[in-house]
Amino acid sequence: MAKKRPNKIERERLATIGNMPCYACFIDGREMQSEVHHIRSLKRGSGMGLRPSHFDTIPLCSGHHRTNKISVHLGKKEFEKRYGTELEILDKVNREIERCREEADIL
């Protein structure tokens, strides 16, 4: 089955997330280029083999995403202890995006 292409609003979300610095690096006082991490959560209607929403995405560098010992794919327990759960991070990222949009509307 072919993957469905993201629509315009989904592409905007993916671009916004991709342009943000890595959340975990930012918490550690660094700014690293991020890639988009899709959150898989049975509570939110996705899991293994189920496509997650493009709106359930957070910015993580390749290390915190998939290659470091402390990453969402290789060291999830330690990652969550240090940075919070993926859903907690999603909430913070969404609030930051909203804050920036409101700020842009004021200017």
Side-chain angles (χ1 to χ4, degrees), residues 75-91:
K76 190 169 190 160
K77 266 189 187 174
E78 189 60 35
F79 180 90
E80 288 182 348
K81 192 185 319 180
R82 190 175 290 189
Y83 304 109
T85 67
E86 293 168 281
L87 294 177
E88 290 169 342
I89 295 168
L90 176 64
D91 184 53

Side-chain angles (χ1 to χ4, degrees), residues 38-90:
H38 287 79
I39 297 170
R40 295 187 184 277
S41 169
L42 293 175
K43 292 177 187 174
R44 297 177 72 86
S46 67
M48 296 311 286
L50 300 173
R51 181 178 173 201
S53 167
H54 292 305
F55 295 98
D56 291 343
T57 51
I58 58 175
L60 295 174
C61 66
S62 60
H64 285 111
H65 185 192
R66 55 193 160 75
T67 61
N68 290 354
K69 286 182 184 176
I70 299 174
S71 67
V72 293
H73 290 295
L74 296 180
K76 190 169 190 160
K77 266 189 187 174
E78 189 60 35
F79 180 90
E80 288 182 348
K81 192 185 319 180
R82 190 175 290 189
Y83 304 109
T85 67
E86 293 168 281
L87 294 177
E88 290 169 342
I89 295 168
L90 176 64

